[in-house]
Amino acid sequence: MKYYLQEIGEVFKNISSSENGLSSAEAEKRLEANGKNKLKEGKKKTVFQRVLEQLSDPMIIILIVAAVISAVTEWVEHGFGFPTDTVIILVVVVINTVLGVIQESKAEAAIEALQEMSAATSKVLRDGKITSVRSEDLVVGDVVLLEAGDAVPADCRIFESASMKIEEAALTGESVPVGKIIDTLMGGDNNEVSLGDRKNMAYMGSTVVYGRGKAVVVATGMDTEMGKIADAIAQAEESQTPLQIKLAQLSKILTYLVLGICVFLFIFQMVTAYFKGGLGFEVVLNSFMVAVSLAVAAIPEGLAAVVTIVLSIGVTNMSKKNAIIRKLTAVETLGCAQIICSDKTGTLTQNKMTVVDHYGDNEELLSKAMALCCDASIDEDGVVTGEPTEAALVNYANALGFNKNDLVKTAPRIGEAPFDSGRKMMSTVHNIDGEIIQYTKGAPDVILGRCKYAEVDGQVVEFTEELKAQALKDNKRMADQALRVLACSYKKYDSAPASFEPEALEENLVFIGLTGMIDPARPEVKDAIAECRSAGITPIMITGDHKDTAVAIAVQLGIIENDSAAITGAQLDEISDEEFAERVTEFRVYARVQPEHKTRIVNAWRAKGMITAMTGDGVNDAPSIKSADIGVGMGITGTDVTKNVADMVLADDNFATIVSAVSEGRRIYDNIRKAIQFLLGSNLSEVLSIFTATILNFTILKPVHLLFINLVTDSIPALALGLEKPERDIMQRKPRKSNEGIFAGGMGVDVFYQGALVTILTLAAFFIGEFMELYHHFGDVAQAMAHFQFTNIADSSDGMTMAFLTMSMCEIFHSFNMRSQRGSVLGMAFKQKSHNFVLYAAMVASLLLTTAIIEIPFLASAFGFIEAGSTEPALTLAEYGISIGLAFLVIPVVEIVKAFQRKVAKNK
């Protein structure tokens, strides 16, 4: 029901109530029938559900199956011994699951925060008497008494207002409190009035800041405007970030790849064994173990942990720059944001009305008069409290050196005619050392009409048409800049007036001047928006404020050049979804919008494939923040509702913080791609090595060796790669496309050739080790050559150990290559003086750990490099040197390929 379009008598009739409210019995009956004046609570996932979600990842499932097969094999071959391989695999699974649950556990407290915003108790008329009841027990038809400081407990139709003003910024985005009336409104197009213009209504979640009034409840709970927002929050789908989508795709590809290769090799070995004369139980188990080895080799066990930790480090860095990340995988989304839809009030502006212009000869008198003719106050610390417009006037005087407390002492108030929306004026009368003076402020058109005189150069002169015309000209000048203009005047008396009625006071006034005020733009925002543009990001302003105000701020900030790119919510309602989808790129400023408009705007951009961010602080921003690819809430002025649905919260409410967050997001994504390329190249080398060895019928590495490489020599350097500094042009690039594949930019080719290169070096090390072992056995090169073969090789401890050391060292050296996908790492280190000391430390640590398990006897025995109880070194010094030398070749080879790639790119 559009109660704001109905006469109050009709409203009472429709809801079966009256100005005296309801009886207690009727209220109880309605409460039982319609329920509490509360918002529905959202469902939350349990910890168990979150754990199951983590374990449902295909790669995790394959690892669990591999662990089970490994345990069974260990039991069959060695009895109930300690299943080393199984334990290591399961530890990996547990670590990944715990990290995932911790990082993804986000409290869905938005609905609870909405409930906290509602008033705890309310004064109502029950049985014709004023009584206090819990706000959740209010029903439609209750008459509520409102006064300054009260939170509005439900949606109400106002029928009595004594200069009542209500702060509705959280719902509408408009910073100036709305003066409330009791008159019936006239509907515009489609017989509709926007939320911010319904001046005869009071809505749940808003606050009375001035005056008093009475209103009848017309909607409670989920039927209120606040309830619609809560419902929109509940229905808004949380979409996956680009990184989540890409990792999910990668997981799917790897799963199919692993299963396919495992099945192929299992069948290949079974067929080979059959034609050789037997399919015994041992052959089946060996085939299973080959499949397990391949699964372990193909799955980058450290990938999930590396990505999570790199993101966590990025989160820490961003928090130091006042950007608090609430959803881990959303870190990189800002890095590819193409659209930032920002609320105006409190985000682009300071949410603080400020006098920025004035007209009049005597600014001292003007500021003093304005400060005295208002009810705002200032404390000892200079903090002003009161209605925002009046607070701006007190701050204006204070900035000029006139503290209101001092003014009040020298000019105490002895009478007043309070502000009234009908008169659009307020008058106060003061005694200044026995001289009686009255100050009157209000709307310029009204004040100018009541002035007979004006003060010019310290003299009172007749307020001529010429002077009035000049005042009107300056009024228009300020209004054209979207300033809120107030006029001020005075009148002197020989003694206190007999009557303080407005009719007696407000005539024959002396005009002093005009003040123009606005909620000003944050000083740092203009540069931030300019930097966003250089980074290929389009800023969009969305506000509940008036169009002229929005346009003025947008032009000042550089969002638009004129009002041709601005549109109101009412105009937007006249555009169909299909037409809006085509025209959304035409608009940069949206004014007088309602919550559903914001979500519609965000969805229109997203439908065009644009990665969209939404910033805001009010309750009205929550649904669109949740619908956006990344929602950005404000930490200081933001409501709890907005913070709880946001992916990122700006601790300093500074739009400029978004710029550093964008840069950090791009850096993190770059580094994650480096880590992914490094890990996948490593895993590909393992897969190719196992595949080749299986085809040639020998064992090159065991599952435990592959797990060590994946978790130590791969994961530790990969983590260090996540700490690389941003490249110089990171904020001059256009945002990457949301559908850009994870292997874009030639990364797939790089993974393949680098994986193949490491495979060749590893196989070379194995065959050299096999030859060295034969040489040590026969003591003669010719004999060793005579017995050397490339297929059907029995377990070779030297060959396996050299292959392990070479592959491990290849990964360590290759991590140095991965500091840049195309740039020369030697140039970075020596020319640009760009160093990643954490990576250097990680390389040394990996080298020491790898050497330890080869050279320390009990570790070498556990990994199968030497016989149990043996104290002989696993490798000779020559074998160790050859392995390291082969591994080092990965650096010059990759550098040569990069140089060729750079030359090709330059020619293109």
Side-chain angles (χ1 to χ4, degrees):
M1 294 289 288
K2 299 178 180 179
Y3 295 106
Y4 46 87
L5 300 179
Q6 298 177 1
E7 294 287 345
I8 190 61
E10 186 180 355
V11 173
F12 281 123
K13 182 180 179 182
N14 286 334
I15 60 176
S16 302
S17 185
S18 70
E19 293 186 8
N20 294 320
L22 303 172
S23 65
S24 296
E26 178 62 21
E28 187 66 32
K29 186 190 300 182
R30 295 188 182 191
L31 183 63
E32 187 174 345
N34 301 317
K36 297 273 190 181
N37 178 33
K38 294 172 63 178
L39 303 176
K40 292 180 182 178
E41 296 184 1
K43 293 182 180 179
K44 298 179 181 178
K45 291 180 184 177
T46 64
V47 174
F48 181 69
Q49 287 174 320
R50 292 191 177 105
V51 170
L52 287 181
E53 284 183 358
Q54 295 295 323
L55 293 177
S56 64
D57 186 288
M59 289 197 295
I60 296 297
I61 293 173
I62 290 177
L63 279 180
I64 293 173
V65 172
V68 172
I69 294 173
S70 182
V72 171
T73 304
E74 182 74 21
W75 171 64
V76 171
E77 292 184 349
H78 306 292
F80 292 99
F82 184 76
T84 305
D85 292 2
T86 302
V87 170
I88 292 175
I89 294 173
L90 291 179
V91 165
V92 173
V93 171
V94 170
I95 290 173
N96 278 339
T97 301
V98 170
L99 282 173
V101 169
I102 290 174
Q103 297 295 353
E104 289 301 325
S105 294
K106 182 172 79 170
E108 290 289 343
I111 307 300
E112 294 175 9
L114 281 167
Q115 289 175 325
E116 291 173 5
M117 289 187 65
S118 303
T121 61
S122 302
K123 294 188 290 293
V124 300
L125 285 175
R126 291 270 176 93
D127 301 315
K129 299 177 183 178
I130 297 176
T131 183
S132 180
V133 300
R134 291 194 303 175
S135 295
E136 65 179 29
D137 292 334
L138 288 179
V139 297
V140 172
D142 266 326
V143 170
V144 182
L145 283 69
L146 300 170
E147 59 185 34
D150 287 346
V152 179
D155 287 2
C156 308
R157 170 68 156 86
I158 300 166
F159 65 89
E160 184 178 303
S161 174
S163 303
M164 186 165 66
K165 294 183 180 181
I166 296 181
E167 169 67 69
E168 297 177 341
L171 279 168
T172 66
E174 186 168 354
S175 55
V176 178
V178 180
K180 293 300 180 178
I181 61 175
I182 63 174
D183 301 331
T184 304
L185 302 179
M186 297 297 293
D189 295 337
N190 301 321
N191 203 29
E192 184 58 81
V193 179
S194 64
L195 189 66
D197 292 326
R198 298 173 193 171
K199 296 186 177 182
N200 58 5
M201 297 290 293
Y203 291 104
M204 175 191 280
S206 57
T207 305
V208 181
V209 296
Y210 191 85
R212 58 180 177 79
K214 288 182 182 178
V216 61
V217 175
V218 295
T220 61
M222 294 300 290
D223 294 328
T224 63
E225 291 295 326
M226 184 80 78
K228 293 176 185 176
I229 293 174
D231 190 50
I233 294 173
Q235 292 180 13
E237 296 182 4
E238 287 199 30
S239 55
Q240 287 187 313
T241 70
L243 182 62
Q244 284 178 312
I245 294 171
K246 290 177 178 64
L247 290 179
Q249 292 170 345
L250 178 61
S251 175
K252 193 173 182 179
I253 292 170
L254 288 176
T255 299
Y256 290 142
L257 183 66
V258 169
L259 291 176
I261 297 177
C262 285
V263 169
F264 170 78
L265 282 184
F266 179 74
I267 294 174
F268 175 82
Q269 284 202 313
M270 299 293 283
V271 170
T272 302
Y274 175 78
F275 283 108
K276 284 186 176 181
L279 275 177
F281 182 67
E282 185 176 347
V283 172
V284 175
L285 277 180
N286 286 336
S287 298
F288 265 124
M289 281 311 296
V290 171
V292 170
S293 296
L294 198 63
V296 172
I299 297 174
E301 289 84 1
L303 178 60
V306 166
V307 170
T308 300
I309 293 170
V310 169
L311 287 171
S312 298
I313 293 170
V315 166
T316 302
N317 291 338
M318 294 174 87
S319 67
K320 292 176 181 177
K321 299 177 182 177
N322 295 311
I324 311 301
I325 299 298
R326 299 188 69 253
K327 188 174 181 181
L328 197 63
T329 46
V331 173
E332 53 83 35
T333 314
L334 260 182
C336 60
Q338 296 160 295
I339 305 294
I340 297 182
C341 298
S342 174
D343 183 50
K344 177 184 73 69
T345 306
T347 307
L348 298 172
T349 64
Q350 300 175 26
N351 197 20
K352 178 183 178 183
M353 292 298 288
T354 305
V355 175
V356 295
D357 201 351
H358 80 283
Y359 166 73
D361 288 335
N362 192 337
E363 188 177 8
E364 177 182 334
L365 176 60
L366 177 64
S367 64
K368 287 181 177 180
M370 287 290 199
L372 285 169
C373 189
C374 72
D375 294 323
S377 59
I378 185 170
D379 63 18
E380 294 178 355
D381 297 321
V383 178
V384 178
T385 56
E387 193 269 338
T389 300
E390 295 196 332
L393 296 173
V394 171
N395 276 318
Y396 172 50
N398 196 53
L400 293 175
F402 308 114
N403 185 285
K404 182 171 181 179
N405 293 331
D406 297 332
L407 296 176
V408 169
K409 290 176 183 177
T410 58
R413 187 185 298 185
I414 61 173
E416 65 181 291
F419 177 83
D420 179 84
S421 58
R423 294 174 18 250
K424 298 182 180 179
M425 288 187 293
M426 173 183 182
S427 297
T428 57
V429 182
H430 305 264
N431 186 329
I432 305 177
D433 295 330
E435 182 183 19
I436 308 301
I437 188 168
Q438 165 196 326
Y439 296 117
T440 300
K441 78 173 193 306
D445 56 332
V446 177
I447 295 290
L448 293 177
R450 301 295 180 96
C451 290
K452 188 175 181 179
Y453 308 98
E455 182 161 311
V456 179
D457 296 330
Q459 301 293 319
V460 176
V461 300
E462 184 180 351
F463 194 42
T464 63
E465 288 299 321
E466 183 181 353
L467 290 175
K468 185 176 182 180
Q470 183 58 48
L472 288 171
K473 181 180 178 181
D474 269 75
N475 176 45
K476 184 179 185 304
R477 175 182 61 80
M478 287 189 259
D480 288 344
Q481 299 174 46
L483 302 186
R484 180 184 176 125
V485 186
L486 289 178
C488 192
S489 59
Y490 73 87
K491 183 178 181 180
K492 292 184 177 180
Y493 298 86
D494 294 330
S495 60
S499 171
F500 292 106
E501 291 298 316
E503 296 79 7
L505 298 178
E506 295 165 349
E507 60 180 359
N508 298 325
L509 304 176
V510 180
F511 177 70
I512 302 174
L514 307 171
T515 57
M517 64 187 74
I518 197 171
D519 178 14
R522 291 176 175 273
E524 67 281 349
V525 169
K526 187 172 184 178
D527 290 340
I529 286 177
E531 192 164 359
C532 280
R533 287 189 177 282
S534 70
I537 299 169
T538 301
I540 305 290
M541 177 193 288
I542 306 177
T543 179
D545 217 336
H546 293 280
K547 183 179 178 179
D548 56 353
T549 304
V551 168
I553 294 293
V555 170
Q556 180 186 345
L557 292 176
I559 295 176
I560 58 176
E561 294 181 358
N562 53 60
D563 63 359
S564 62
I567 186 175
T568 65
Q571 292 171 319
L572 184 57
D573 284 333
E574 297 174 359
I575 303 176
S576 67
D577 288 340
E578 293 75 16
E579 183 184 353
F580 184 51
E582 293 296 323
R583 298 182 58 193
V584 66
T585 55
E586 298 176 16
F587 309 115
R588 295 291 181 270
V589 173
Y590 297 84
R592 303 306 279 171
V593 298
Q594 297 188 44
E596 56 268 26
H597 291 141
K598 297 189 176 188
T599 305
R600 187 182 175 195
I601 294 163
V602 168
N603 290 339
W605 278 111
R606 293 189 64 213
K608 281 194 167 291
M610 308 294 272
I611 298 299
T612 305
M614 170 68 189
T615 73
D617 55 0
V619 175
N620 60 327
D621 298 323
S624 51
I625 278 179
K626 191 172 182 181
S627 295
D629 292 292
I630 181 165
V632 185
M634 299 295 137
I636 299 174
T637 60
T639 60
D640 287 342
V641 185
T642 306
K643 295 176 191 175
N644 287 324
V645 299
D647 302 302
M648 180 176 85
V649 177
L650 304 181
D652 57 358
D653 283 15
N654 191 341
F655 186 89
T657 301
I658 297 176
V659 177
S660 62
V662 167
S663 176
E664 184 68 10
R666 291 186 177 189
R667 183 192 72 85
I668 289 170
Y669 187 76
D670 280 357
N671 290 349
I672 286 176
R673 285 193 79 219
K674 292 173 185 175
I676 290 174
Q677 179 180 336
F678 172 68
L679 290 172
L680 292 184
S682 301
N683 284 96
L684 180 61
S685 67
E686 294 169 20
V687 170
L688 292 176
S689 297
I690 295 295
F691 185 83
T692 304
T694 303
I695 297 297
L696 297 177
N697 197 25
F698 65 85
T699 302
I700 189 169
L701 292 170
K702 295 180 179 179
V704 68
H705 302 153
L706 298 170
L707 275 174
F708 179 88
I709 292 172
N710 287 353
L711 296 176
V712 178
T713 60
D714 284 358
S715 297
I716 293 177
L719 283 174
L721 285 172
L723 298 178
E724 278 293 327
K725 296 176 182 178
E727 297 182 27
R728 294 179 179 180
D729 65 340
I730 199 163
M731 288 301 286
Q732 277 72 52
R733 307 175 192 165
K734 289 184 178 180
R736 65 183 182 278
K737 296 179 180 178
S738 59
N739 59 356
E740 183 180 282
I742 199 151
F743 295 109
M747 181 172 148
V749 174
D750 292 345
V751 167
F752 181 79
Y753 93 79
Q754 289 164 9
L757 173 61
V758 175
T759 299
I760 292 170
L761 295 173
T762 301
L763 288 170
F766 178 85
F767 290 126
I768 291 172
E770 165 67 6
F771 175 81
M772 296 290 284
E773 188 168 340
L774 291 172
Y775 174 74
H776 293 149
H777 178 72
F778 292 107
D780 181 71
V781 173
Q783 287 274 18
M785 289 292 293
H787 288 82
F788 180 80
Q789 56 187 8
F790 287 98
T791 60
N792 301 317
I793 304 171
D795 284 356
S796 168
S797 60
D798 281 24
M800 186 179 293
T801 307
M802 285 187 68
F804 172 78
L805 179 59
T806 298
M807 181 172 281
S808 297
M809 290 301 100
C810 271
E811 310 305 353
I812 293 171
F813 292 134
H814 187 45
S815 65
F816 185 70
N817 284 327
M818 291 312 305
R819 293 190 62 200
S820 175
Q821 185 183 5
R822 290 288 179 267
S824 169
V825 291
L826 299 177
M828 291 174 65
F830 300 112
K831 292 181 181 179
Q832 300 175 19
K833 305 296 182 183
S834 173
H835 297 285
N836 184 342
F837 293 105
V838 177
L839 177 61
Y840 301 158
M843 293 170 68
V844 172
S846 298
L847 174 61
L848 292 176
L849 288 170
T850 303
T851 302
I853 67 167
I854 291 176
E855 299 299 332
I856 298 176
F858 80 91
L859 289 176
S861 174
F863 276 79
F865 296 135
I866 59 175
E867 295 292 333
S870 173
T871 58
E872 290 293 321
L875 295 176
T876 64
L877 187 61
E879 290 171 332
Y880 193 91
I882 291 171
S883 298
I884 297 294
L886 284 169
F888 185 78
L889 289 175
V890 76
I891 292 179
V893 172
V894 172
E895 278 288 287
I896 291 170
V897 174
K898 282 185 183 180
F900 177 75
Q901 289 173 327
R902 289 195 299 272
K903 186 175 182 180
V904 171
K906 186 176 181 180
N907 291 336
K908 286 185 179 180

